[in-house]
Amino acid sequence: MGIPTLSADAPDHLDARELQRVDTWWRAANYLSAGQIYLMGNPLLREPLRPEHVKPRLLGHWGTTPGLTFLYAHLNRAIRARDLDMIYVTGPGHGGPGVVAAAWLEGTYSEIYPDVAQDEEGLRRLVTQFSFPGGIPSHAAPETPGSINEGGELGYSLAHAFGAAFDNPDLTVACVIGDGEAETGPLAASWHSNKFLDPARDGAVLPILHLNGYKIASPAVLARIPEDELVSLLRGYGYEPHLVSGSDPATMHHLFATTLDTCLDEIERFRRRARQDGGVERPRWPMIVLRTPKGWTGPSVVDGQQIEGTWRAHQIPLGDPRNDPDHLRQLEDWLRSYAPEDLFDADGAPAREIREHNPRGARRMSANPHANGGLLLRGLRLPDFREYGLPVTEPGTTTGEATQVLGAFLRDAMELNGSAANFRVFAPDENNSNRLGAVLEATSRAWMAESEPGDVSLAPDGRVMEVLSEHTCQGWLEGYLLTGRHGFFSCYEAFAHLVDSMLNQHAKWLKVSTGLAWRQPIASLNYLLTSHVWRQDHNGFSHQDPGFIDHVMNKKAEIVRVYLPPDANTLLSVADHCLRSRDYINVIVAGKQPAAQYLDVDDAVVHCTKGIGIWDWASNDQDGEPDVVLGCAGDVPTMETLAAVDLLRRRFPRLRVRVVNVVDLMRLQDPREHPHGLTDVEFDALFTSDKPVIFCYHGYPWLIHRLTYRRHGHDNIHVRGYKEEGTTTTPFDMCVLNEIDRFHLAIEAIDRVPRLGEDAVYAREELTRKLIEHRHYISTHGEDMPEIRDWKWS
């Protein structure tokens, strides 16, 4: 099969008027992009450029921008000609000036930010604010109309684009992939998203791989491999690549317009075949490989060194025009090469040709409501979670699998929202392993690749998204949420770390966007971390890491929430709350193994609403102050804490013990640090200010110290948690290795209550012997002692 590359002598595709419009719009966008990097005055060059017109600190990046504006100009032509519903996702880092320029030219920017009007003063504000104190950042940030992806996010653009396209049948997502990000692992996995896109029900993604040859300072890999090898790679991913290459603007306009129309025709043909003719085979979706010089149309040579077409064009082509007269002259020549006198009218507004080239209203990519997903968001229809609750007549005497119970709730939520097509479940090949398999009773796994007779629950219109890439699942989910839908992401706890940087970016996006009145709230990003540290005894040390919570806790308090429900009914209550919430990152940690159940549904609702509380049925301090407080957060720590209380109360009937369980981890913080935080009065009422507190925690113990360091009795708080001790062993031995087990907790309590006297010595010896007995038993029998396995609260 031949490579579909258009030759430079291909016939003209655009008539003279259309060519003029496209080129004029592109020149204006390039002029404004360069102006944003350099200027703080004289934005229309209506007087000679002087040093004081140039910013004292030059920040931002030029190299990728002219390619992005070139694509934007051509996509606008196609939108007008075809009445396309399209958004623009930019992967290349630091392409911000190009998309800001586009939004201003389309008028959207001035509609949202009236001070940046379409006149000369508005232009001055536009160029000055870029990478300027109190202004806007150099990426396509939340402040940028039309953006759902900042660019430079380490390879997330394509996953975001596909996430946006799922369940958006009329949407086309143009996704520009930078040749730097094309080298990342997340991007490499994202190419496979085409195996999950259903042309009958979903929108389309047009990937555009922009090869300008270089990253910051070294060649880009995909730009330096033979063309047939590149095409083979992309075809191997299942795409039909169309190549456009060159540097002459007029020729490139014709070549790219021809290629773009060819690709859009193919997309329409695939849609029609699936929707009208009932075709079910996976299309070989088109994509474009665009080769242009880095820093295209910018300075060619500066200080005797080649700039355009080299890595030197990546950032600031002219380094010091404020102080170097030659650089100042070159900057003015560069800006005047775009003929600004033809691009703007006497008032500084875009010229008529530019206005005519813009799509209208919501068809503008900078004004498309899919890029401000809260405008389209519809609340989920959720069943009454109380109907799924496990019966609990006496605390701690029955068992159940928390995530299996949640699976039934999610199944029916999927069913209720089937017609709205606005809810999907995401998991990196772990949905069934995480005991959420009930959702497959309501839908299938999305699947457009080949199927074999033994396969189960695979269908093009499936709503369970499983691919063995945490990055891709997260990227899909983010794109889905940012365009106005809802989702739920379950993951093995230890491997949630793979998306640490993606969580960073989404948290920062939410932090900024919640401060923008025009950005409407979106559905929260909901994680379920299961197969957690305390029940990864079979997989061993590599799968034992609860540190994702610590990472989340570093984000802004108004954005993040962490919940540790101790049983199935509290998990149901928490999940219902999270699925109804907006603009948060919610992290739920819950086990999937059979475990003790403590609260009936009504009590679970009360406990989760408070987020923290005394379990009076496990405490015996009702007639006075406690001698010791045992706190716990997490399902296994809760069980071990209750078992320790059982041991203590049997041995020391007069010992007054208070049990405090934490569901909402943020309740431990000072209210100055988090809006959910307890006041000092509330905290002291639960934990006292002078009694020893033995706190058993799911994760790394120092986080609890960090959350409580301002509390009156902080010196009395003694935390036990995971301390990086693990192996392939029994469930209880994992607790023993990290000293969160019932015996260590009871010993700790005994050591902290002086009034127990001499009897404490013998109790301590007995508990120590139990630890030795445990070690001998598991090394002989390979399982935990019956008294551990069969323990129930009484």
Side-chain angles (χ1 to χ4, degrees):
M1 184 182 295
I3 300 171
T5 304
L6 292 176
S7 63
D9 58 357
D12 291 350
H13 188 74
L14 304 173
D15 62 33
R17 185 179 181 190
E18 199 65 80
L19 175 62
Q20 182 68 23
R21 279 179 174 172
V22 170
D23 191 66
T24 300
W25 197 99
W26 182 45
R27 285 188 290 115
N30 286 342
Y31 177 84
L32 293 179
S33 298
Q36 288 176 78
I37 294 172
Y38 284 97
L39 298 182
M40 58 185 294
N42 191 17
L44 293 172
L45 294 186
R46 288 181 172 165
E47 59 179 298
L49 194 63
R50 299 194 302 272
E52 60 267 27
H53 297 150
V54 179
K55 292 174 181 174
R57 299 174 69 243
L58 299 179
L59 304 170
H61 297 70
W62 167 250
T64 190
T65 299
L68 295 179
T69 54
F70 177 85
L71 293 170
Y72 206 112
H74 280 270
L75 292 169
N76 272 353
R77 179 195 67 82
I79 291 169
R80 284 191 301 104
R82 298 166 180 261
D83 191 30
L84 293 177
D85 189 6
M86 178 177 280
I87 62 173
Y88 191 56
V89 173
T90 58
H94 307 287
V99 287
V100 169
W104 189 86
L105 289 172
E106 290 183 324
T108 313
Y109 208 93
S110 300
E111 293 167 10
I112 293 174
Y113 305 108
D115 287 345
V116 190
Q118 286 194 318
D119 57 27
E120 185 168 4
E121 174 57 19
L123 261 179
R124 188 194 65 78
R125 291 175 181 266
L126 179 77
V127 298
T128 301
Q129 69 178 2
F130 180 79
S131 288
F132 201 80
I136 62 173
S138 64
H139 288 206
E143 296 93 334
T144 307
S147 174
I148 67 165
N149 181 284
E150 287 211 16
E153 293 177 309
L154 306 178
Y156 317 152
S157 61
L158 195 56
H160 283 165
F162 275 94
F166 293 142
D167 295 319
N168 265 330
D170 299 322
L171 185 67
T172 302
V173 185
C175 178
V176 189
I177 300 153
D179 48 8
E181 73 161 339
E183 298 176 10
T184 65
L187 197 286
S190 296
W191 288 115
H192 291 298
S193 299
N194 58 4
K195 286 82 172 176
F196 300 85
L197 192 78
D198 178 10
R201 184 196 55 188
D202 299 328
V205 176
L206 177 61
I208 304 170
L209 177 60
H210 183 208
L211 300 179
N212 58 33
Y214 296 90
K215 303 185 288 288
I216 293 176
S218 60
V221 172
L222 294 187
R224 293 294 186 89
I225 62 176
E227 197 162 89
D228 61 342
E229 186 177 332
L230 174 63
V231 170
S232 294
L233 173 69
L234 298 173
R235 282 194 176 135
Y237 278 124
Y239 297 88
E240 187 57 43
H242 298 256
L243 279 62
V244 180
S245 178
S247 60
D248 175 67
T251 303
M252 287 293 285
H253 284 313
H254 288 298
L255 293 177
F256 191 81
T258 303
T259 301
L260 180 59
D261 282 342
T262 299
C263 292
L264 293 173
D265 287 344
E266 290 180 13
I267 288 171
E268 184 55 36
R269 185 168 62 254
F270 292 144
R271 283 174 162 168
R272 187 167 54 249
R273 187 173 69 194
R275 298 173 189 184
Q276 298 178 14
D277 304 334
V280 295
E281 69 276 9
R282 174 167 59 94
R284 183 174 285 276
W285 294 101
M287 65 164 294
I288 298 173
V289 179
L290 174 67
R291 291 183 187 268
T292 62
K294 196 173 185 78
W296 195 15
T297 74
S300 178
V301 176
V302 176
D303 297 333
Q305 292 186 313
Q306 181 69 31
I307 301 297
E308 184 185 28
T310 76
W311 58 269
R312 296 183 182 90
H314 180 80
Q315 194 167 354
I316 307 295
L318 294 159
D320 194 18
R322 194 177 176 97
N323 299 301
D324 185 324
D326 192 48
H327 282 199
L328 184 66
R329 177 189 58 77
Q330 285 185 281
L331 175 59
E332 182 167 7
D333 290 345
W334 173 20
L335 292 173
R336 291 194 185 279
S337 72
Y338 298 117
E341 64 277 6
D342 298 331
L343 306 177
F344 307 98
D345 65 18
D347 296 325
R352 179 176 57 83
E353 282 184 317
I354 292 171
R355 297 196 304 273
E356 291 175 349
H357 186 69
N358 290 328
R360 300 288 180 261
R363 285 296 189 249
R364 295 171 294 176
M365 291 189 287
S366 59
N368 192 303
H370 292 287
N372 186 3
L375 293 170
L376 305 175
L377 184 65
R378 296 170 54 186
L380 279 179
R381 293 182 61 197
L382 292 176
D384 184 350
F385 69 88
R386 296 168 182 82
E387 296 179 359
Y388 302 82
L390 292 179
V392 177
T393 54
E394 293 292 336
T397 60
T398 58
T399 61
E401 297 178 18
T403 59
Q404 185 178 56
V405 172
L406 177 64
F409 172 72
L410 293 176
R411 173 200 63 207
D412 292 349
M414 186 74 72
E415 192 76 49
L416 283 173
N417 295 280
S419 60
N422 64 345
F423 180 52
R424 294 200 181 202
V425 171
F426 301 77
D429 193 37
E430 294 158 359
N431 183 76
N432 285 10
S433 174
N434 292 335
R435 307 293 196 269
L436 301 180
V439 295
L440 295 175
E441 298 170 19
T443 185
S444 297
R445 299 180 182 90
W447 190 253
M448 286 295 297
E450 295 180 358
S451 296
E452 297 184 357
D455 295 335
V456 294
S457 299
L458 299 179
D461 62 350
R463 311 189 62 73
V464 175
M465 310 301 297
E466 284 196 277
V467 64
L468 195 49
S469 166
E470 285 79 2
H471 293 114
T472 304
C473 287
Q474 170 96 9
W476 286 345
L477 175 55
E478 288 180 4
Y480 201 67
L481 299 175
L482 288 162
T483 49
R485 281 75 61 72
H486 305 259
F488 194 83
F489 182 11
S490 71
C491 181
Y492 279 23
E493 181 181 48
F495 301 135
H497 277 301
L498 289 166
V499 298
D500 277 359
S501 62
M502 300 184 80
L503 178 137
N504 283 346
Q505 298 297 328
H506 192 72
K508 293 175 189 298
W509 181 280
L510 290 177
K511 192 266 183 184
V512 174
S513 64
T514 52
L516 300 171
W518 63 274
R519 284 270 182 196
Q520 296 302 301
I522 62 172
S524 297
L525 196 166
N526 299 308
Y527 291 98
L528 171 65
L529 305 186
T530 188
S531 297
H532 61 53
V533 58
W534 302 111
R535 293 307 306 266
Q536 278 295 329
D537 39 88
H538 59 302
N539 279 323
F541 195 39
S542 65
H543 286 51
Q544 296 160 355
D545 188 330
F548 191 71
I549 296 175
D550 300 68
H551 178 64
V552 171
M553 293 294 289
N554 289 327
K555 304 301 112 184
K556 290 296 289 187
E558 61 265 30
I559 299 301
V560 295
R561 306 286 186 267
V562 177
Y563 300 99
L564 294 111
D567 64 3
N569 291 336
T570 51
L571 174 58
L572 283 171
S573 180
V574 166
D576 179 82
H577 169 75
C578 292
L579 286 170
R580 296 179 189 275
S581 68
R582 301 288 184 268
D583 281 343
Y584 293 150
I585 294 174
N586 296 310
V587 177
I588 308 169
V589 185
K592 66 183 185 182
Q593 303 291 348
Q597 304 298 304
Y598 308 109
L599 305 180
D600 66 24
V601 169
D602 291 336
D603 287 338
V605 171
V606 173
H607 186 48
C608 291
T609 302
K610 294 190 300 180
I612 187 172
I614 298 172
W615 279 4
D616 54 359
W617 51 267
S619 308
N620 67 338
D621 67 324
Q622 289 84 351
D623 61 346
E625 283 282 300
D627 295 307
V628 62
V629 177
L630 270 72
C632 48
D635 51 7
V636 169
T638 295
M639 181 180 68
E640 290 304 312
T641 296
L642 291 172
V645 171
D646 190 19
L647 290 170
L648 290 168
R649 289 179 58 182
R650 289 176 186 275
R651 183 60 188 258
F652 304 102
R654 295 188 178 184
L655 178 70
R656 292 190 297 273
V657 180
R658 176 180 295 175
V659 177
V660 177
N661 182 262
V662 180
V663 177
D664 179 354
L665 199 60
M666 275 61 179
R667 296 290 274 162
L668 295 176
Q669 286 187 274
D670 188 290
R672 291 168 290 181
E673 299 293 335
H674 196 281
H676 286 194
L678 296 172
T679 66
D680 283 339
V681 172
E682 293 170 326
F683 187 91
D684 292 346
L686 292 174
F687 292 101
T688 79
S689 61
D690 58 352
K691 298 298 189 294
V693 177
I694 315 302
F695 197 97
C696 188
Y697 171 54
H698 173 87
Y700 291 104
W702 36 89
L703 176 62
I704 303 302
H705 286 296
R706 174 183 148 197
L707 298 180
T708 60
Y709 79 98
R710 284 180 168 173
R711 300 302 186 178
H712 295 146
H714 177 254
D715 289 346
N716 298 320
I717 299 176
H718 310 282
V719 185
R720 291 182 177 268
Y722 183 69
K723 57 182 185 179
E724 210 62 26
E725 291 292 341
T727 184
T728 301
T729 186
T730 69
F732 184 68
D733 194 49
M734 269 296 297
C735 297
V736 173
L737 289 173
N738 291 276
E739 300 182 346
I740 73 155
D741 63 280
R742 60 200 68 183
F743 302 132
H744 277 101
L745 293 175
I747 290 171
E748 179 89 36
I750 291 169
D751 290 346
R752 301 289 177 183
V753 183
R755 78 174 184 83
L756 294 178
E758 286 300 314
D759 194 27
V761 175
Y762 293 96
R764 200 182 195 285
E765 282 294 300
E766 180 183 333
L767 293 169
T768 302
R769 283 197 301 272
K770 277 293 183 183
L771 287 168
I772 296 170
E773 182 183 344
H774 152 75
R775 172 59 54 192
H776 286 303
Y777 189 93
I778 65 168
S779 63
T780 301
H781 299 280
E783 61 178 347
D784 288 321
M785 295 186 294
E787 67 184 84
I788 301 296
R789 297 197 314 270
D790 302 334
W791 178 86
K792 288 181 172 56
W793 173 261
S794 61

